[in-house]
Amino acid sequence: MIIPSKLNEDVSKQVYQTLRKNAVERELKHQRSGKLSAGRLGKPLLEQILYVIGVPKKTVEDYALGLFRRGEDVEDTVVELLNPDETQVEAEYRDVVGYIDAMRNGMPYEVKSVKNSQVKYLDPTNTKRTRQSGSLQPEYNGPKYAHVLQATLYGLATKSDYITVLYVTADDLRTFAHVIETKTMADEVNRIIDEFDNQLKLGTLSEWEAREEWQEKYPQYSDYPDWMSLDPETAMQKLKQEYPECYKRLVGNK
């Protein structure tokens, strides 16, 4: 038996309107430091430069606002349950900045919420294999590249030998704490910072180039999809015409 009901769509509209209002207010309050942030180390170089000089990202869709809010709530809950020594600790290394989610026993923790469907890729006890590109490949992929880069920067900033990337499922708070030696990805972090610094000194935009395969495969997840297909000359023209203040900031770095 299906009980008769009527869906009140005004409630959904109200929720998303409030989410968007809060997101806009938070963005307005956020003063960009003009520095690369640890959380953007895994982004393509062009997107890093565009963000730092102040070019607005694409508008976030409603469903994504909800995911972000849910993720923040889950991460805050787990950080509280960790009983850390410190939370939201400012960190800086080679002029790259960020906030460490939690410090425990001198080790930085970067906390990331994930859907339950992601567990098979993040749980090292999962030994299942699936057929991909004609061959059997393990489902387990290990901690994600961008997340390890972010945590590694915090390890370098705090001179900690180890870092933890802590994944937590949004549905049931299962945790997967990946402990990694800071030196494992230290060279990669330094390479990315060198690349960013050198490009900024040139005072020009680069071609869009993915750092990870998925970034090219799923362009809809880019913060700057309108810039992805532009050559450097066209990108500079677009920047000068549409965002003159950002253009001045970039060329002023020469």
Side-chain angles (χ1 to χ4, degrees):
M1 174 184 175
I2 298 177
I3 299 173
S5 66
K6 181 180 179 181
L7 201 61
N8 185 348
E9 296 183 357
D10 289 340
V11 172
S12 180
K13 290 178 181 178
Q14 178 62 54
V15 167
Y16 283 113
Q17 284 175 359
T18 304
L19 281 172
R20 187 164 299 282
K21 178 175 177 289
N22 292 344
V24 169
E25 289 176 350
R26 186 164 57 247
E27 183 69 20
L28 289 173
K29 289 179 181 178
H30 175 67
Q31 297 295 320
R32 296 189 187 184
S33 63
K35 298 180 180 182
L36 182 61
S37 65
R40 304 191 72 79
L41 285 169
K43 297 285 187 181
L45 175 61
L46 175 60
E47 298 190 18
Q48 292 173 341
I49 298 291
L50 290 172
Y51 184 81
V52 164
I53 63 175
V55 176
K57 298 185 295 181
K58 73 174 183 183
T59 302
V60 179
E61 296 181 23
D62 285 348
Y63 84 93
L65 289 172
L67 285 176
F68 294 156
R69 176 59 182 267
R70 174 61 172 161
E72 290 170 356
D73 291 344
V74 170
E75 290 162 16
D76 289 345
T77 297
V78 168
V79 166
E80 180 184 352
L81 294 173
L82 278 174
N83 293 317
D85 301 318
E86 296 179 272
T87 62
Q88 291 300 301
V89 180
E90 287 189 57
E92 184 167 348
Y93 171 77
R94 291 191 58 191
D95 220 27
V96 179
V97 296
Y99 286 88
I100 303 169
D101 287 327
M103 291 289 296
R104 294 180 78 230
N105 303 318
M107 186 190 305
Y109 279 62
E110 178 57 31
V111 182
K112 300 293 185 184
S113 66
V114 295
K115 298 177 181 178
N116 278 24
S117 60
Q118 294 293 303
V119 167
K120 60 185 177 183
Y121 305 120
L122 300 168
D123 181 1
T125 66
N126 177 20
T127 59
K128 291 182 180 178
R129 302 168 74 88
T130 57
R131 189 165 295 281
Q132 303 173 37
S133 303
S135 62
L136 287 174
Q137 300 292 330
E139 287 187 331
Y140 172 67
N141 287 333
K144 297 183 180 181
Y145 172 76
H147 300 162
V148 177
L149 291 177
Q150 184 176 1
T152 297
L153 186 121
Y154 298 151
L156 292 168
T158 58
K159 295 181 170 56
S160 172
D161 291 334
Y162 292 89
I163 56 176
T164 295
V165 179
L166 174 58
Y167 292 101
V168 53
T169 57
D171 290 344
D172 50 19
L173 298 185
R174 278 180 292 164
T175 57
F176 302 89
H178 293 261
V179 180
I180 305 159
E181 281 194 271
T182 301
K183 67 181 182 181
T184 302
M185 292 288 281
D187 287 347
E188 180 73 352
V189 167
N190 282 306
R191 183 191 69 78
I192 291 171
I193 296 173
D194 287 341
E195 184 182 57
F196 173 83
D197 287 345
N198 291 336
Q199 189 65 45
L200 204 58
K201 288 174 185 176
L202 289 174
T204 61
L205 296 176
S206 63
E207 280 190 312
W208 187 92
E209 184 177 352
R211 292 199 190 279
E212 298 187 75
E213 183 179 336
W214 69 264
Q215 293 170 337
E216 190 163 13
K217 189 175 181 180
Y218 302 106
Q220 66 269 32
Y221 296 126
S222 168
D223 289 334
Y224 298 96
D226 294 343
W227 299 78
M228 293 177 66
S229 62
L230 304 182
D231 60 77
E233 183 179 351
T234 305
M236 286 297 288
Q237 291 173 353
K238 177 181 175 68
L239 183 67
K240 187 175 183 178
Q241 292 171 2
E242 298 182 18
Y243 306 100
E245 292 303 314
C246 300
Y247 176 84
K248 291 177 184 176
R249 290 190 199 107
L250 179 62
V251 298
N253 284 293
K254 286 186 179 181

